[in-house]
Amino acid sequence: MVALVSRSLAALDADVTLAQFRALVLLAGHGPQRSTAMARELQVAPSTLTRMCDRLVRKSLVQRFHRGHDRRSIWLALTPAGRDLVGTVMRARRRELERIVVASGLVASPPAVDLLHDFVRAVGELPDEEWWRRWEASADPVDGAPLMGVHRQADGAWA
């Protein structure tokens, strides 16, 4: 699966690492995230996530923002360009998987499909239909309001 994603990213010349793409997929499937929660989910240090997101923000794939009146927490969300990149790569991966299944002669019987859905849920992922519903809304404004940008100031503080 990693090789499929890697080939899809390379074919797009997306200039996104696999770790960065995993962060984009997390945002696409789970919506806006607090940076601390996202670092835990990706099993990286908060400083590593900050550097990763600095690059994704520069590429206009992710946006930082504050939610409501809480100025302490930094939230992360996909931009429309980030959502589109994830969708393009996921569709390419799906086409490649379909090609592999057809070439191997495997038959997608209902019990086999149910087993795969159970496996997907067991590893904490979303079934395909739910994932795509969430992907569709992943770059929508938060709480009905446009995202308020957050950027790093010259002194390193967030504003």
Side-chain angles (χ1 to χ4, degrees):
M1 298 302 266
V2 171
L4 292 176
V5 170
S6 181
R7 283 196 301 263
S8 296
L9 285 170
L12 291 172
D13 197 27
D15 191 30
V16 174
T17 67
L18 287 173
Q20 290 169 345
F21 185 72
R22 179 67 185 133
L24 297 174
V25 169
L26 178 66
L27 291 170
H30 297 284
Q33 301 281 309
R34 284 179 133 162
S35 59
T36 54
M38 197 163 155
R40 269 194 312 275
E41 179 70 26
L42 295 173
Q43 298 179 344
V44 298
S47 60
T48 299
L49 182 76
T50 296
R51 286 188 305 276
M52 180 188 307
C53 289
D54 285 346
R55 292 178 188 107
L56 293 171
V57 166
R58 279 194 302 272
K59 295 173 187 180
S60 299
L61 300 173
V62 168
Q63 183 170 4
R64 289 184 175 101
F65 65 99
H66 294 292
R67 200 167 208 174
H69 297 295
D70 182 3
R71 306 290 296 168
R72 294 171 293 154
S73 295
I74 303 287
W75 286 74
L76 302 162
L78 287 179
T79 64
R83 179 194 57 209
D84 292 347
L85 175 64
V86 171
T88 299
V89 171
M90 296 303 257
R91 283 189 288 276
R93 183 184 76 164
R94 183 179 182 95
R95 283 191 303 273
E96 184 68 12
L97 285 171
E98 288 171 352
R99 186 194 63 72
I100 291 167
V101 168
V102 167
S104 67
L106 294 173
V107 177
S109 67
V113 170
D114 290 343
L115 180 64
L116 286 173
H117 283 165
D118 291 344
F119 178 78
V120 166
R121 285 185 195 95
V123 297
E125 297 295 328
L126 299 168
D128 208 38
E129 303 78 28
E130 177 66 18
W131 192 90
W132 283 106
R133 268 194 299 279
R134 291 185 185 192
W135 170 84
E136 184 71 35
S138 64
D140 289 350
V142 177
D143 298 332
L147 299 178
M148 300 178 302
V150 176
H151 62 279
R152 197 182 302 223
Q153 297 175 334
D155 65 0
W158 295 101

